Amino acid sequence: MADTRVYAALLRAGMAGQATYRASFAVELVGTAMGMGLDFVEIFAVFHQVPSIAGLSFVEVVLVFAIASTGFATADLLQRSLDGHELYQAH
């Protein structure tokens, strides 16, 4: 239970830091969006050559891509708030 409180406190502190440094957050957001955009261009290029991949249409692949990319971006955002958390654990 104590570990959960520590993680929650670190997460709140990380989010507060991101709110304080808005320019840094904006640059990170733009970088993530550019990476996702490049990945989308790659998917588009592949589907320009083939009609389907493993039986999935373009729309289905884009949906899977969007869900996965959003999940990874959210996890990355939250994980960065917890960098160095092992320093705070009692051994």
Side-chain angles (χ1 to χ4, degrees):
M1 184 70 172
D3 286 341
T4 305
R5 287 190 295 241
V6 171
Y7 286 125
L10 290 171
L11 186 60
R12 281 192 303 274
M15 298 304 266
Q18 288 177 349
T20 301
Y21 299 105
R22 292 182 183 174
S24 175
F25 178 74
V27 168
E28 184 176 343
L29 187 64
V30 168
T32 299
M34 288 176 63
M36 290 172 69
L38 182 60
D39 289 342
F40 179 78
V41 168
E42 292 168 359
I43 292 171
F44 184 78
V46 169
F47 273 96
H48 187 68
Q49 300 296 319
V50 296
S52 67
I53 296 175
L56 297 175
S57 70
F58 176 72
V59 173
E60 293 167 332
V61 169
V62 168
L63 177 62
V64 170
F65 163 74
I67 292 169
S69 293
T70 302
F72 281 122
T74 303
D76 186 44
L77 177 72
L78 294 175
Q79 180 272 333
R80 287 189 182 173
S81 300
L82 298 175
D83 279 348
H85 72 277
E86 59 275 350
L87 300 174
Y88 303 106
Q89 290 180 349
H91 295 287

